Amino acid sequence: MSETEALETHLQELRRGTVVLACLRLLEAPGYGYGLLEELQSRGFDTDANTLYPLLRRLEKQGHLTSEWNTDEARPRKFYRTSEAGSRLAAALTDDFRAIATAIESLPQED
């Protein structure tokens, strides 16, 4: 495996958990998949539809998201919203993320 491939693999692993947290926090206000994808990308969370949609279904199945179809427009859309359990999970993940970021900042760094 080349150094570039190794870096990409590790970056992908690092981002995977942060996308879960970002989705839970962004979906405190209802949103649909494509809109969420655009919001994530505009905020620097590089993800794609093949990653996002299975993640949304998994979080819904786990009870961290609720969903509802909006059929008022010409094109029906499934809107997701963070559930109470999802809000608790987001709070716990945020606390842990901050603790990890603080711990990383305390590590020695090459110049």
Side-chain angles (χ1 to χ4, degrees):
M1 177 181 288
S2 74
E3 190 172 323
T4 303
E5 290 170 327
L7 174 61
E8 189 55 40
T9 297
H10 290 292
L11 287 174
Q12 186 178 24
E13 289 175 11
L14 183 61
R15 289 181 188 133
R16 190 171 289 131
T18 59
V19 170
V20 169
L21 177 55
C23 287
L24 290 171
R25 291 187 51 173
L26 287 170
L27 290 172
E28 289 290 339
Y32 62 97
Y34 186 74
L36 178 62
L37 185 64
E38 289 182 326
E39 182 76 12
L40 287 166
Q41 290 174 341
S42 74
R43 292 177 181 260
F45 294 92
D46 187 27
T47 190
D48 61 27
N50 292 329
T51 300
L52 182 62
Y53 289 105
L55 171 65
L56 293 174
R57 287 191 296 273
R58 183 176 45 124
L59 289 171
E60 183 179 20
K61 185 176 180 183
Q62 293 170 344
H64 300 299
L65 295 178
T66 59
S67 68
E68 184 176 294
W69 283 97
N70 179 340
T71 56
D72 294 342
E73 299 177 23
R75 183 175 179 203
R77 292 182 173 159
K78 188 174 188 178
F79 279 77
Y80 293 91
R81 185 177 187 116
T82 304
S83 68
E84 195 173 306
S87 293
R88 288 191 303 272
L89 176 61
L93 292 174
T94 298
D95 289 345
D96 201 50
F97 183 84
R98 287 182 177 140
I100 290 168
T102 299
I104 289 171
E105 285 298 319
S106 74
L107 296 172
Q109 185 174 341
E110 285 186 37
D111 291 328

